[in-house]
Amino acid sequence: MLAELAARPLPPLSYEEPLGSPSLRRSVSRELLKSGIAADPASILITSGALQGLQLIALGLLPRGSTILLEKPSYLYSIHAFQSAGVKFSGLPMDQGGLLTGRIAAEALRTKAAMLYTIPSFHNPTGIVMDRERRQAVMKITGELGLPILEDGAYQELWLDSPPPPPLKALDREGRVLHLGTLSKAASPGLRIGWIVGPEPVIRRLADIKMQTDYGASSLSQLAAARWLDGGYHEEHLTVLRGKLRERREFMRQLLQAHFTELATWSIPAGGFYIWLSLHQPMPLRRLFTAALQAGLLLNTGDLYDRGDSRHLRLSYAYASPEELRCGLPALAGIIKQNINRQS
Ligand SMILES: Cc1ncc(COP(=O)(O)O)c(C=O)c1O
């Protein structure tokens, strides 16, 4: 695709409009329609990845000292965008159907929450998909509270069995949902292209802050991203990627079955990259991390995603090669066993 782009006369790579390249915003708008989100290009801001989207929202929309509700565990605990902006977190429990809605209202009122952040599809780190009924309940409860939602759709395209239910943004009739997307997970994290979809005045405000931060995402990346989406490369790539991820997921399932049945439980995710391993016994995860590192294994321990956690590991079947998984997972099982023996 880049070779095809290079063969054409290159437009001048000047600064783009504050919302981002019009042609990329049109492509993203067409792409979003496939998941049921009808978004005019004027309601889309191109960002340098979804992470920048989170940073702009933390800086531009949330007063210092405000609280956001979120799933516990969550990817958001592992980054510092919100904490650095003086925003507090209030975690809500999940089950296999996603965020449990029972405590949203009480917690929103108690903390005077400014927003609810959620990753409804292939949640990071648990891999859980919020089911259709839960999505409707979340929209209804937050609607009654007038609570804005920040929906992180980073993994939503990466379904492996069947597409997830429509995103919350597709159910939003009041302009209450901000939706984040990215090319990082399915295409390329190094491209640094993501987007925020929301009401136009909010998007313009976030675009102002973005202009003050970096004058816009790279024009070259925006050009490549528009071609990637418009030329059908993305669709084609997703089909290949899904096939490869299914193989990897199956490979990891077999390795877990062979080496971890006495140590942990897990669910097989319907998409995304991660298996959330629940250890039968709690253990000091920092100690496990250090022991694994000494053996050449880099662990994503559960305490990154929930400070108080002492019994989960986030395993990715997307990142390490099959060979690394074949050696690494039995080695990890051995290290966990040693840690259990040290405790008893
Ligand atoms: C849930 C979630 N949101 C956002 C991001 C940030 O992605 P990007 O590379 O687009 O900044 C990640 C990356 O790990 C993620 O897991």
Side-chain angles (χ1 to χ4, degrees):
M1 191 278 294
L2 288 177
E4 187 211 303
L5 202 64
R8 299 166 165 217
L10 205 60
L13 293 173
S14 42
Y15 296 123
E16 296 288 353
E17 291 179 11
L19 296 188
S21 127
S23 84
L24 177 56
R25 285 185 286 120
R26 282 193 297 273
S27 316
V28 170
S29 164
R30 279 193 290 272
E31 206 53 38
L32 286 166
L33 210 48
K34 295 182 191 163
S35 66
I37 298 176
D40 190 83
S43 61
I44 298 172
L45 169 64
I46 303 298
T47 56
S48 302
L51 180 59
Q52 188 184 42
L54 292 168
Q55 261 149 359
L56 294 174
I57 291 163
L59 277 176
L61 302 182
L62 298 170
R64 282 194 92 76
S66 59
T67 300
I68 58 170
L69 307 184
L70 75 172
E71 286 126 356
K72 192 179 169 105
S74 175
Y75 162 73
L76 220 53
Y77 285 95
S78 73
I79 58 167
H80 295 104
F82 284 82
Q83 283 106 324
S84 310
V87 174
K88 291 180 275 182
F89 289 165
S90 170
L92 295 170
M94 309 173 73
D95 68 7
Q96 285 304 315
L99 178 67
L100 286 166
T101 51
R103 276 178 39 201
I104 294 179
E107 204 51 19
L109 295 172
R110 189 186 72 77
T111 61
K112 300 191 179 63
M115 193 173 258
L116 168 75
Y117 169 85
T118 174
I119 313 169
S121 296
F122 317 119
H123 175 261
N124 181 2
T126 62
I128 288 172
V129 176
M130 190 190 289
D131 65 36
R132 195 178 289 268
E133 293 68 38
R134 207 66 72 79
R135 289 178 195 229
Q136 275 153 2
V138 166
M139 288 305 288
K140 182 163 181 292
I141 295 165
T142 55
E144 285 159 6
L145 294 162
L147 185 66
I149 294 178
L150 174 53
E151 173 178 49
D152 191 331
Y155 298 89
Q156 72 184 27
E157 296 172 297
L158 290 173
W159 55 265
L160 302 180
D161 300 328
S162 53
L168 299 175
K169 184 71 196 157
L171 310 175
D172 178 23
R173 304 281 163 263
E174 306 144 286
R176 204 162 39 79
V177 179
L178 287 172
H179 177 89
L180 295 180
T182 178
L183 284 183
S184 287
K185 306 298 164 185
S188 151
L191 206 57
R192 304 311 299 140
I193 292 292
W195 47 85
I196 312 175
V197 185
E200 288 178 33
V202 177
I203 288 299
R204 281 199 298 271
R205 168 156 173 68
L206 295 174
D208 274 350
I209 306 171
K210 176 157 170 61
M211 281 314 261
Q212 289 163 38
T213 314
D214 65 1
Y215 288 146
S218 149
S219 322
L220 195 58
S221 284
Q222 296 195 61
L223 187 71
R227 187 69 209 126
W228 175 256
L229 294 173
D230 286 346
Y233 295 99
H234 189 60
E235 214 39 63
E236 209 175 293
H237 176 72
L238 273 175
T239 311
V240 176
L241 183 64
R242 287 192 185 112
K244 294 223 160 90
L245 286 173
R246 276 185 207 111
E247 281 170 20
R248 292 286 195 94
R249 181 183 62 170
E250 174 54 18
F251 186 58
M252 189 177 257
R253 191 191 66 72
Q254 288 173 12
L255 285 168
L256 290 176
Q257 190 74 34
H259 301 283
F260 283 80
T261 37
E262 325 132 46
L263 299 174
T265 54
W266 58 90
S267 303
I268 299 303
F273 296 158
Y274 308 120
I275 292 185
W276 188 233
L277 203 66
S278 299
L279 301 171
H280 291 329
Q281 287 195 33
M283 61 181 64
L285 292 178
R286 288 295 92 195
R287 198 173 78 198
L288 188 66
F289 175 86
T290 310
L293 197 62
Q294 280 160 1
L297 302 173
L298 187 60
L299 285 186
N300 270 286
T301 46
D303 52 348
L304 294 174
Y305 309 98
D306 169 1
R307 302 265 179 275
D309 185 45
S310 58
R311 60 189 320 157
H312 292 93
L313 300 176
R314 193 196 74 175
L315 303 178
S316 163
Y317 44 85
Y319 190 70
S321 68
E323 203 35 54
E324 286 168 324
L325 293 177
R326 198 196 316 276
C327 302
L329 284 171
L332 175 60
I335 295 167
I336 294 173
K337 278 181 206 151
Q338 279 165 13
N339 266 270
I340 294 172
N341 293 338
R342 268 182 76 177
Q343 290 188 128
S344 53

